[in-house]
């Protein structure tokens, strides 16, 4: 064969044979492939199957869908019957003749290939889009995919594929219908990777459909049942305008099927066309539906991008869509929705981690968080006040951070007062955490501005700038009544007030752990009753902390004495009296009250001894620690013990506190308030004559044993270092006891010892006087 013949065979004969074979393959496919039944979950199909109208033919048709004897060709045949009057003889009840039957088959097959005209087109299977529309209308998605895939593959082999894409828009229509088919298949029960593949391919098909020439006229000529509504274009439109609206349609279709990822792609693609489609050159078209402001158009599209990314839980992309939105109103609406969704998903912390760029939205974000905090329950998780605290701390806005976390603590306090909290200790722990965080934040502020205003703290944005002066000066600048000034002054909270509230709340928390109810409302005066409760509950450290925090000077000494009286009473197993009384500021607790407060008495002697030992150790520990604040504390303890229990023996460590360092104080019994002379007087006052006499003899002996070199110390006036009046009282008391006949032998013995010691002491003084005089003469 000649080379030209071979070329003609390759270029003309082989493609023609391939086209004929493919045509008959498609005809065979339509004639033998059963129709596809609608999915059970398709509500539209179920609704149409009810047949509430009188269309009997339609009802019988739907009943046959999915049956082996009802092929795809029947659908096409019924369509051609309704559209062509010349083929009405195909529906005769009698069997047609051979000639008529062959003619009908020829007409039907030619209609499937070339349409109603019956003329061959230069494009392969130009009627395939019409067939695909019919099948797509009846839900035959697998058949549509098969048909259009064959047509697309065959078109790619032709040399005229370029002309197919640019001539009449058939290539665009094919991909549009294929995209609709793939999208419907993805929603027809597919899952996993198969569904993702269908969706990705559908996205590609819609982008291809929009990019070909003639796409606008070709796709607008499709029926609305094919998926694309009429856009109302009058005449020719620009490519950008067409793509803008086609992408919006595709976005809505994907949104309708809840495929946010595909919808987001077309929303972003539409945004790329807005400037060109809605530019100044299009402003002259008065009736053109594209005549809209580009800003509002972009605002709607960016709002859609925000919605789709938010549905996908792509929170950072959603926030980028917010800050990219040029429409301020739409941006603010999206921001509010963004915060709500973050709360619902427990992802609100991303607002506080510093990764989001708050470009012009800082105040709006803070305002929304504050609005949410005011209307949220304090038990909400995550807690909005804590988020505001973290938000402000990350921005180094210490005062606002302190204000928000203090508001949280104040709300907890108010709610606990108004209603009984089942978990009071947990609520108090939260209050302590909030107060501690507020204190720490204010310590980062300059001392001149280290205060917050809780009344305005609910919306700190009312404060345009940080005040440069403290509240007191601000009040003085505005003349008003004294009550108004005090009220405004107290509305400001500084570090000192926060620390005071922290201490009182800590006390309330510790009492709640001990099942003792005491509520701090913020309106109490100096909490003396609170100190009593803490001591009765054995919370001594907290009691001393409150006393040192809220009392100064003589008031501090008085409160310390009250605490040590209570501590001393707990060490007395045999108390005098049966009621809780206050005498001259001294708290006296009866044994019954002590049992009621601390529980029943343990009958086990060893347990009682252990508790008593611990109480003595506690008393010694705190007395050593706090006697520097009040030198009379040992006197108060000793006096309370001696008065409460007549038979008690003072502990050795307490006696040593009165004696002090004997080696450095040989010259007398006086000195500080807690001295040996005071202890001697206490013994005498409470009838402890044996202890008093023994103590006096001990110091007289120590006085006599001094070295001759220290004679000058013994020559000091006796009234300073020796309690002569108390000794006289002791002598009189002993004589009175002897006359009354009480403990005569013991008192007589003590009197003799005392008499002998005093004689020796007086003789020693006389000798010292003579020695001093003779020394001066020499």
């Amino acid at each position: 064969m000649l080379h030209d013949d071979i070329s003609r065979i390759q270029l003309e004969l082989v493609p023609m044979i391939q086209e004929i074979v493919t045509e008959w393959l498609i005809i065979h496919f339509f004639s033998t492939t059963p129709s596809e039944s609608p999915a059970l979950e398709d509500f539209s199909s179920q609704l149409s199957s009810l047949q509430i109208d009188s269309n009997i033919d339609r009802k019988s048709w739907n009943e046959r869908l999915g049956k082996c004897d009802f092929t795809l060709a029947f659908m096409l045949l019924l369509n051609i019957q309704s559209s062509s009057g010349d083929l009405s003889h195909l529906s005769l009840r009698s069997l047609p003749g051979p000639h008529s039957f062959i003619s009908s088959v020829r007409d039907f097959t030619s209609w499937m290939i070339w349409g109603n005209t019956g003329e061959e087109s230069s494009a392969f299977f130009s009627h395939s889009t019409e067939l695909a529309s019919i099948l797509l209308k009846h839900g035959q998605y697998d058949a549509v995919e098969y048909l259009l895939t064959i047509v697309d593959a065959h078109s790619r082999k032709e040399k005229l594929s370029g002309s197919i894409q640019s001539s009449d828009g058939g290539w665009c229509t094919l991909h549009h219908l294929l995209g609709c088919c793939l999208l419907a298949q993805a929603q027809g029960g597919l899952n996993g990777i198969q569904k993702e593949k269908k969706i990705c391919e559908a996205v590609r098909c819609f982008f291809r459909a929009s990019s070909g020439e003639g796409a606008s006229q070709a796709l607008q000529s499709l029926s609305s049942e094919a998926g694309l509504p009429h856009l109302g274009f009058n005449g020719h439109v620009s490519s950008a305008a067409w793509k803008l609206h086609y992408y919006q349609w595709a976005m809505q279709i994907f949104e309708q099927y809840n495929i946010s990822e595909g919808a987001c792609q077309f929303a972003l693609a539409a945004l790329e066309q807005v400037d060109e489609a809605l530019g100044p050159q299009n402003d002259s078209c008065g009736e053109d539906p594209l005549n809209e402001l580009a800003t509002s158009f972009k605002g709607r599209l960016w709002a859609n991008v925000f919605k789709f990314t938010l549905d996908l839980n792509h929170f950072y992309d959603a926030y980028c869509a917010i800050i990219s939105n040029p429409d301020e109103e739409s941006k603010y609406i999206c921001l509010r929705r963004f915060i709500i969704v973050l709360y619902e998903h427990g992802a609100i912390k991303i607002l506080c981690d510093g990764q989001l760029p708050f470009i012009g939205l800082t105040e709006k974000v803070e305002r929304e968080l504050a609005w949410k905090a005011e209307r949220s329950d304090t038990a909400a998780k995550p807690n909005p006040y804590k988020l505001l605290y973290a938000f402000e701390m990350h921005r180094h806005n210490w005062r606002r951070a302190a204000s928000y976390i203090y508001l949280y603590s104040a709300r907890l306090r108010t709610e606990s007062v108004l209603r009984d909290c089942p978990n009071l200790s947990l609520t108090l722990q939260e209050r302590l955490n909030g107060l501690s965080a507020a204190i720490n934040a204010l310590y980062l502020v300059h001392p001149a501005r280290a205060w917050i205003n809780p009344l305005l703290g609910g919306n700190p944005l009312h404060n345009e700038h940080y005040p440069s002066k403290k509240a007191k000066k601000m009040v003085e600048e505005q003349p008003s009544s004294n009550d108004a000034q005090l009220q405004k002054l107290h509305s400001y909270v500084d570090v000192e007030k926060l620390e005071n509230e922290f201490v009182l709340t800590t006390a309330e928390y510790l009492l709640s752990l001990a099942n003792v109810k005491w509520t701090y409302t913020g309106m109490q005066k100096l909490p003396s009753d609170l100190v009593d409760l803490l001591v009765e509950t054995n919370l001594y450290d907290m009691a001393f902390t409150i006393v040192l925090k809220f009392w100064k000077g003589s008031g501090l000494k008085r409160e310390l004495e009250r605490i040590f009286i209570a501590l001393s009473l707990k060490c007395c197993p045999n108390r005098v009296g049966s009621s809780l009384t206050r005498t001259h500021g001294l708290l006296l607790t009866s044994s019954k009250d002590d049992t009621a407060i601390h529980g029943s008495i343990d009958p086990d002697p060893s347990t009682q001894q252990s508790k008593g030992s611990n109480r003595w150790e506690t008393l010694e520990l705190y007395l050593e620690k706090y006697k520097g604040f009040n030198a009379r504390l040992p006197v108060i303890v000793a006096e309370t013990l001696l008065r409460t229990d007549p038979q008690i023996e003072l502990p050795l460590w307490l006696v040593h506190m009165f004696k002090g360092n004997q080696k450095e104080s040989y010259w007398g019994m006086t000195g500080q308030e807690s001295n040996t002379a005071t202890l001697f007087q206490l013994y005498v006052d409470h009838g402890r004559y044996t202890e008093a006499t023994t103590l006096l003899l001990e110091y007289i002996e120590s006085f006599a044993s001094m070295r001759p070199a220290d004679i000058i110390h013994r020559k000091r006036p006796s009234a300073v270092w020796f309690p002569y009046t108390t000794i006289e009282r002791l002598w009189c008391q002993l004589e009175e006891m002897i006359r009354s006949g009480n403990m005569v032998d013991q008192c007589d013995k003590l009197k003799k010892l005392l008499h002998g010691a005093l004689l020796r002491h007086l003789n020693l003084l006389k000798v010292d006087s003579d020695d001093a005089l003779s020394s001066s003469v020499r």
Side-chain angles (χ1 to χ4, degrees):
M1 296 178 62
L2 297 177
H3 185 271
D4 293 341
D5 296 335
I6 296 174
S7 299
R8 289 183 60 189
I9 291 173
Q10 292 177 344
L11 296 177
E12 297 179 7
L13 182 60
V14 173
M16 182 179 63
I17 295 174
Q18 290 178 345
E19 183 173 348
I20 293 173
V21 172
T22 306
E23 290 174 358
W24 282 105
L25 178 63
I26 293 176
I27 293 173
H28 181 267
F29 171 75
F30 283 136
S31 303
T32 59
T33 303
S35 61
E36 181 182 356
S37 60
L40 295 178
E41 61 272 11
D42 189 349
F43 178 75
S44 299
S45 300
Q46 294 181 8
L47 185 61
S48 62
S49 66
L50 296 177
Q51 294 298 333
I52 58 178
D53 57 3
S54 59
N55 193 339
I56 300 177
D57 295 335
R58 182 73 176 178
K59 180 178 181 180
S60 62
W61 186 358
N62 290 338
E63 290 176 352
R64 294 182 180 182
L65 287 176
K67 303 294 181 61
C68 296
D69 57 346
F70 193 79
T71 62
L72 298 172
F74 278 98
M75 294 183 182
L76 303 179
L77 181 61
L78 292 174
N79 191 81
I80 193 176
Q81 281 183 311
S82 61
S83 62
S84 177
D86 297 337
L87 299 177
S88 60
H89 59 279
L90 293 176
S91 60
L92 294 177
R93 296 178 182 274
S94 60
L95 292 175
H99 180 72
S100 177
F101 183 80
I102 294 173
S103 177
S104 299
V105 171
R106 184 184 296 114
D107 292 339
F108 179 62
T109 54
S110 64
W111 176 85
M112 283 195 296
I113 302 302
W114 297 301
N116 294 327
T117 61
E119 298 180 359
E120 297 187 13
S121 174
S122 58
F124 177 68
F125 292 169
S126 60
H127 191 47
S128 59
T129 56
E130 183 179 353
L131 298 177
S133 299
I134 296 172
L135 296 175
L136 187 64
K137 179 176 62 176
H138 298 303
Q140 306 301 308
Y141 304 123
D142 293 339
V144 173
E145 182 183 10
Y146 180 78
L147 172 63
L148 296 181
T149 303
I150 291 179
V151 174
D152 182 52
H154 186 81
S155 301
R156 293 176 185 275
K157 295 180 181 179
E158 293 187 351
K159 294 182 178 181
L160 299 178
S161 60
S163 63
I164 292 174
Q165 298 182 30
S166 60
S167 58
D168 57 356
W171 186 83
C172 300
T173 304
L174 183 147
H175 283 87
H176 172 80
L177 295 176
L178 184 57
C180 293
C181 171
L182 294 171
L183 194 58
Q185 285 180 319
Q187 293 301 115
L190 297 179
N191 294 302
I193 299 178
Q194 293 182 351
K195 183 176 181 179
E196 293 179 3
K197 288 182 178 180
K198 293 289 184 182
I199 293 174
C200 292
E201 189 60 33
V203 171
R204 295 192 194 99
C205 289
F206 287 131
F207 275 116
R208 291 171 184 171
S210 65
S211 61
E213 296 185 9
S216 173
Q217 292 78 7
L219 295 182
Q220 284 291 282
S221 64
L222 292 175
S223 62
S224 59
E225 295 178 348
L228 186 65
H230 186 69
L231 299 180
F233 289 151
N234 295 324
H236 178 73
V237 295
S238 64
S239 175
W242 155 251
K243 289 183 179 180
L244 173 62
H245 286 272
Y246 185 77
Y247 291 154
Q248 288 186 93
W249 169 85
M251 175 191 71
Q252 294 172 0
I253 291 297
F254 279 90
E255 181 182 6
Q256 179 182 349
Y257 284 109
N258 294 323
I259 305 176
S260 299
E261 186 174 358
C264 185
Q265 293 187 45
F266 285 103
L268 292 172
L271 279 167
E272 296 178 358
Q273 309 296 327
V274 172
D275 291 332
E276 183 178 354
L278 303 179
Q281 67 273 15
N282 294 325
D283 292 342
S284 59
C285 303
E287 298 180 356
D288 196 334
L290 301 178
N291 187 20
E292 294 185 26
L293 293 175
T295 300
S296 61
F297 216 93
K298 286 183 178 180
R300 290 195 297 270
L301 288 174
W302 276 118
N304 284 316
V305 173
F306 163 77
K307 176 184 179 299
F308 302 140
T309 52
L310 202 60
D311 292 340
L312 295 169
N313 294 333
H314 297 166
F315 299 124
Y316 291 100
D317 294 338
Y319 183 79
C320 290
I322 294 176
I323 61 178
S324 301
N325 196 329
D327 189 346
E328 293 298 326
E329 182 179 359
S330 177
K331 178 188 294 186
Y332 187 59
I333 294 174
C334 291
L335 179 63
R336 297 188 66 180
R337 178 62 184 167
F338 182 64
I339 294 176
I340 292 173
V341 173
L342 290 181
Y343 266 105
E344 293 175 351
H345 288 75
I348 195 67
K349 293 181 181 179
I350 69 173
L351 291 176
C352 310
D353 58 7
Q355 298 185 21
L356 294 182
F358 295 108
I359 303 175
L361 293 178
T362 303
E363 292 186 355
K364 291 182 179 179
V365 171
E366 181 182 350
R367 187 181 298 113
E368 287 301 314
L369 290 176
W371 183 88
K372 182 72 174 178
E374 291 174 3
R375 289 156 181 81
S376 298
D377 187 49
T378 53
K381 294 184 180 299
N383 187 277
Y385 287 103
K386 295 180 181 179
L387 292 171
L388 279 166
Y389 175 78
F391 180 80
E392 299 295 350
M393 289 294 287
H394 190 272
R395 294 173 55 219
H396 297 176
N397 199 341
W398 319 122
R399 287 187 69 240
R400 285 188 183 177
S403 177
Y404 283 123
I405 201 65
Y406 179 72
L407 276 176
Y408 173 55
S409 177
R411 274 195 60 182
L412 289 175
R413 182 184 65 198
T414 304
E415 292 179 3
S416 63
V417 172
L418 296 178
R419 62 186 182 185
D420 293 334
C421 297
N423 297 322
L424 181 60
S425 59
L426 295 179
T427 302
L428 292 172
Q429 183 64 55
E430 278 293 292
R431 285 173 54 188
L432 289 174
N433 293 337
L435 291 171
S436 178
I439 293 171
N440 292 336
L442 281 185
Y443 270 121
L444 299 174
V445 183
H446 189 276
R449 296 187 294 270
W451 52 275
I452 58 178
N453 180 6
L455 298 181
L456 298 179
N459 190 359
L461 297 178
H462 292 305
N463 300 330
E464 296 180 358
H465 304 288
Y466 289 152
S468 58
K469 296 182 179 180
K470 284 193 174 182
K472 186 175 180 180
K473 296 182 179 180
M474 294 177 65
V475 173
E476 292 175 353
E477 294 174 358
Q478 300 178 357
S480 58
S481 64
N482 294 333
D483 294 338
Q485 288 181 354
L486 290 176
Q487 183 178 2
K488 189 167 185 179
L489 178 61
H490 290 308
S491 67
Y492 291 89
V493 180
D494 55 8
V495 176
E496 183 180 359
K497 290 183 179 180
L498 287 175
E499 290 177 346
N500 292 343
E501 184 174 348
F502 180 83
V503 171
L504 294 176
T505 306
T506 303
E508 183 180 357
Y509 170 69
L510 295 177
L511 287 173
S512 69
L513 294 179
N515 296 323
V516 177
K517 187 174 182 181
W518 181 86
T519 303
Y520 170 68
T521 61
M523 304 300 293
Q524 293 99 328
K525 297 181 180 179
L526 293 179
S528 297
D529 295 338
L530 173 60
V531 175
D532 297 340
L533 281 176
L534 292 171
V535 174
E536 292 171 5
T537 320
N538 299 331
L539 299 173
Y540 306 122
D541 287 326
M542 194 70 246
F544 284 113
T545 301
I546 289 180
V547 169
L548 295 177
K549 185 72 177 177
F550 293 96
W551 279 275
K552 304 296 180 184
S554 61
L556 173 61
K557 293 182 178 181
R558 182 175 60 254
E559 291 298 322
L560 287 175
E561 291 176 2
R562 293 180 61 250
I563 293 178
F564 278 98
I565 289 172
L567 287 175
S568 302
L569 290 174
K570 291 187 177 185
C571 297
C572 298
N574 301 318
R575 300 184 183 181
V576 176
S578 60
S579 62
L580 182 66
T581 60
R582 285 176 182 263
T583 305
H584 305 294
L586 305 180
L587 182 64
L588 302 179
T589 308
S590 68
S591 58
K592 294 182 180 180
D593 292 335
D594 185 68
T595 303
I597 294 173
H598 301 289
S600 60
I601 299 178
D602 195 333
D604 187 358
S606 61
T607 306
Q608 292 185 8
Q609 184 177 2
S610 175
K611 291 182 179 179
S613 175
N614 292 335
R615 291 174 179 176
W616 284 112
E617 292 176 358
T618 302
L619 179 61
E620 179 185 6
L621 173 65
Y622 287 111
L623 189 57
E624 285 284 355
K625 187 175 182 180
Y626 292 102
K627 67 180 182 180
F629 293 92
N630 186 353
R632 278 188 52 83
L633 289 180
V635 178
I636 298 298
V637 171
E639 182 180 6
T640 303
L641 294 174
L642 294 172
R643 182 180 63 250
T644 305
D645 188 355
Q647 305 299 325
I648 196 170
E649 181 179 353
L650 295 182
L652 187 59
W653 55 265
L654 181 59
V655 176
H656 285 168
M657 286 186 182
F658 283 94
K659 291 182 178 181
N661 192 343
Q662 295 184 9
K663 294 183 179 180
E664 296 180 0
S665 58
Y666 281 148
W667 48 84
M669 297 174 67
T670 60
Q672 297 182 351
E673 294 183 59
S674 301
N675 49 54
T676 310
T678 305
L679 179 60
F680 176 70
Q681 182 177 354
L682 288 174
Y683 281 147
V684 174
D685 292 341
H686 293 86
R688 311 298 285 272
Y689 306 129
T690 303
E691 289 90 339
T693 304
T694 303
L695 181 63
L696 181 61
L697 293 177
E698 178 183 350
Y699 269 82
I700 290 178
E701 292 177 359
S702 65
F703 176 82
S705 61
M706 293 180 64
R707 298 175 301 174
D710 295 327
I711 189 175
I712 189 62
H713 298 302
R714 295 198 301 223
K715 292 298 296 177
R716 296 179 62 185
S718 299
V720 175
W721 66 271
F722 214 72
Y724 284 103
T725 57
T726 308
I727 295 173
E728 185 178 0
R729 284 182 55 209
L730 174 60
W731 183 269
C732 294
Q733 290 290 344
L734 291 175
E735 289 184 344
E736 182 67 25
M737 292 287 289
I738 293 173
R739 284 195 300 267
S740 63
N742 294 327
M743 298 184 296
V744 177
D745 295 338
Q746 183 178 0
C747 292
D748 185 65
K749 182 179 180 181
L750 293 176
K751 185 179 178 181
K752 291 179 180 180
L753 291 174
L754 182 61
H755 182 265
L758 289 174
L759 286 178
R760 290 192 297 273
H761 176 66
L762 293 175
N763 291 331
L764 182 61
L765 288 178
K766 185 177 183 302
V767 172
D768 289 339
S769 299
D770 295 339
D771 291 343
L773 182 61
S774 60
S775 299
S776 62
V777 172
R778 293 177 185 178

